[in-house]
């Protein structure tokens, strides 16, 4: 379900708490219900033979969680993240019962905004890998990540490694 098709938006007076996040060259908007936690200062462990969009793995609440560089996945351009930059741990989108969380790298701490239907406009005819759509929020363009597609990249990588 896209942000624009969200049932709450059928009621213009109902707001959706949303996190606006900078990933380097692009910015994303995610409903807060998609985000398990924002953390910083985590240690990133490299993943052997990992693709460029996989920054590594982090420990979060006693779990190993894949850390996705969504900026690279979407644009195939790296952003020079700094040590200690925050990450967003996201709830699984349902692509697999085995992976309940994954994380994305952030450039800055997200800010929260309560969005209402009149605040959103879908941007037509633009596409990026890993993104469901582009939105204009108060005249600024944000991307809505496709959490199922992002999760599927991780699942495909794990399956390739397992079949070696």
């Amino acid at each position: 379900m896209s942000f624009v098709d969200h049932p709450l938006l059928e009621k213009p007076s109902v707001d959706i708490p949303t996190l606006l996040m900078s990933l380097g060259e692009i910015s994303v908007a995610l409903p807060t219900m998609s985000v398990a936690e924002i953390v910083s200062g985590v240690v990133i462990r490299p993943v052997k033979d990992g693709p460029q969009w996989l920054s590594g793995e982090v420990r979060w609440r006693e779990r190993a969680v894949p850390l996705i560089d969504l900026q690279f996945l979407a644009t195939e351009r790296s952003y020079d993240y700094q040590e200690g930059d925050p990450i967003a741990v996201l709830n699984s989108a349902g692509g697999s019962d085995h992976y309940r969380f994954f994380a994305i790298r952030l450039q800055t701490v997200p800010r929260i905004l309560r969005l209402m239907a009149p605040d959103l406009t879908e941007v037509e005819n633009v596409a990026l890998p890993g993104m469901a759509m582009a939105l204009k929020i108060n005249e600024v363009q944000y991307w809505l990540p496709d959490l199922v597609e992002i999760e599927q990249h991780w699942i495909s990588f794990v399956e390739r490694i397992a079949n070696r």
Side-chain angles (χ1 to χ4, degrees):
M1 174 185 311
S2 74
F3 218 125
V4 176
D5 296 329
H6 197 286
L8 291 177
L9 293 180
E10 294 173 6
K11 301 174 186 170
S13 62
V14 175
D15 62 8
I16 299 175
T18 305
L19 289 172
L20 304 178
M21 307 176 206
S22 177
L23 305 180
E25 294 178 23
I26 62 174
S27 296
V28 298
L30 278 172
T32 56
M33 64 187 198
S34 306
V35 181
E37 189 172 8
I38 305 294
V39 295
S40 59
V42 296
V43 175
I44 301 170
R45 292 185 312 230
V47 173
K48 185 179 178 185
D49 300 325
Q52 286 187 279
W53 52 262
L54 181 60
S55 295
E57 195 174 73
V58 296
R59 294 291 300 166
W60 176 74
R61 298 187 183 241
E62 300 180 25
R63 300 171 193 248
V65 176
L67 180 60
I68 310 294
D69 184 344
L70 194 51
Q71 157 80 27
F72 189 87
L73 186 64
T75 65
E76 294 189 351
R77 289 188 301 275
S78 294
Y79 176 78
D80 187 21
Y81 292 96
Q82 303 300 309
E83 186 176 329
D85 280 351
I87 64 168
V89 179
L90 305 179
N91 297 308
S92 170
S96 169
D97 292 334
H98 300 291
Y99 306 106
R100 295 188 48 215
F101 302 97
F102 63 94
I104 59 173
R105 296 190 79 151
L106 305 176
Q107 177 187 6
T108 59
V109 174
R111 65 185 180 97
I112 194 163
L113 181 66
R114 298 184 88 68
L115 292 178
M116 299 178 83
D119 298 329
L120 300 173
T121 308
E122 185 174 356
V123 179
E124 301 289 332
N125 301 318
V126 294
L128 283 178
M131 302 295 167
M133 69 176 58
L135 300 170
K136 284 229 179 201
I137 301 171
N138 300 325
E139 299 306 313
V140 177
Q141 183 168 309
Y142 291 88
W143 290 92
L144 178 63
D146 184 334
L147 300 181
V148 173
E149 180 184 336
I150 296 163
E151 187 176 342
Q152 197 56 51
H153 281 283
W154 170 248
I155 292 167
S156 296
F157 169 69
V158 170
E159 287 172 351
R160 276 194 311 271
I161 295 296
N163 291 328
R164 285 185 180 174

